[in-house]
Amino acid sequence: DQQVKQNSPSLSVQEGRISILNCDYTNSMFDYFLWYKKYPAEGPTFLISISSIKDKNEDGRFTVFLNKSAKHLSLHIVPSQPGDSAVYFCAARNQAGTALIFGKGTTLSVSS
Amino acid sequence: KAGVTQTPRYLIKTRGQQVTLSCSPISGHRSVSWYQQTPGQGLQFLFEYFSETQRNKGNFPGRFSGRQFSNSRSEMNVSTLELGDSALYLCASSLDRVDNEQFFGPGTRLTVL
């Protein structure tokens, strides 16, 4: 049973517009969420995170929103750039801090 | 500071063989996690080691095992390889907990024929 779900395998956006990537989770015990970006032939790199005590975290062009009641989080990229084209993974950390549970990823394509 | 390194980068094996993958974490990092990435399943957690002890294990068969040495370097072993074991195996290290300071290596691409 998948605990972290990214239901959109792919997303295409034009340069300069907003990209919204979504993620749902089922385990209400998750207390920390992260987004990673992955280019081909490279390992994932950390992008942004949010604690369950917050509902929003911002870092430059990237903002993550958390809706605990809906068990839903989203990553907003504004404005989108061609260099943002990559696979984006949503992850949740278990309370012991000893495992990250990842979604299957969403491939973002930003066209110029 | 050098990043996480994984060796080998590419590996081809046949069914029934065994394989050992190696991971060197960032200097000073004591937690090492392993993940399997496949097109259909995304990144799946294999296990996590801290100070030579396995702290957590994902839902994989016993053919998958690992260990961590006193210098924090880690190895994972897969015995009796199956075609479905073909995947990218990623190692990640962090100082202690697997939080946002977890850094990934480039991975080892394993192909089982």
Side-chain angles (χ1 to χ4, degrees):
Chain A
D1 181 38
Q2 206 176 4
Q3 299 186 70
V4 178
K5 299 177 185 178
Q6 294 178 256
N7 292 318
S8 297
S10 62
L11 176 67
S12 294
V13 171
Q14 282 195 315
E15 181 179 8
R17 308 294 288 267
I18 183 171
S19 294
I20 300 177
L21 296 99
N22 294 303
C23 178
D24 296 296
Y25 61 96
T26 58
N27 190 338
S28 58
M29 301 300 288
F30 288 147
D31 64 350
Y32 198 82
F33 303 90
L34 308 92
W35 284 92
Y36 280 80
K37 180 166 81 171
K38 186 180 186 300
Y39 294 116
E42 294 182 13
T45 54
F46 169 74
L47 202 53
I48 192 169
S49 62
I50 187 166
S51 164
S52 60
I53 63 173
K54 294 185 173 183
D55 55 18
K56 177 182 174 181
N57 189 26
E58 218 170 331
D59 184 3
R61 297 186 297 114
F62 302 90
T63 303
V64 56
F65 295 91
L66 176 62
N67 182 333
K68 282 184 64 179
S69 60
K71 295 191 181 67
H72 177 84
L73 63 155
S74 61
L75 173 68
H76 292 210
I77 306 173
V78 184
S80 301
Q81 299 173 354
D84 295 329
S85 298
V87 180
Y88 289 78
F89 291 97
C90 167
R93 187 191 68 188
N94 69 343
Q95 282 192 312
T98 57
L100 288 181
I101 311 302
F102 282 85
K104 292 186 179 183
T106 296
T107 301
L108 173 65
S109 299
V110 181
S111 57
S112 54
Chain B
K1 188 186 259 191
V4 177
T5 57
Q6 292 185 245
T7 56
R9 291 294 309 277
Y10 302 92
L11 206 49
I12 299 175
K13 292 286 188 179
T14 56
R15 279 181 299 173
Q17 287 187 308
Q18 75 162 24
V19 67
T20 300
L21 311 181
S22 180
C23 171
S24 292
I26 291 173
S27 177
H29 285 194
R30 297 164 67 190
S31 168
V32 175
S33 299
W34 288 89
Y35 297 87
Q36 181 196 63
Q37 185 186 7
T38 58
Q41 297 299 321
L43 273 84
Q44 291 187 288
F45 173 75
L46 279 156
F47 24 66
E48 188 258 359
Y49 288 89
F50 179 80
S51 291
E52 302 179 65
T53 300
Q54 185 182 89
R55 291 198 296 192
N56 205 341
K57 188 177 191 303
N59 188 25
F60 277 81
R63 300 186 296 107
F64 292 81
S65 63
R67 59 179 175 168
Q68 186 181 34
F69 302 95
S70 58
N71 61 358
S72 294
R73 190 176 71 84
S74 178
E75 288 181 348
M76 67 163 281
N77 185 275
V78 188
S79 62
T80 319
L81 283 166
E82 301 177 359
L83 295 179
D85 297 333
S86 295
L88 180 67
Y89 290 88
L90 291 158
C91 165
S93 77
S94 60
L95 279 170
D96 182 357
R97 292 161 61 97
V98 293
D99 54 16
N100 58 311
E101 296 299 332
Q102 190 173 53
F103 296 86
F104 281 82
T108 294
R109 171 72 63 184
L110 171 65
T111 301
V112 182
L113 302 176

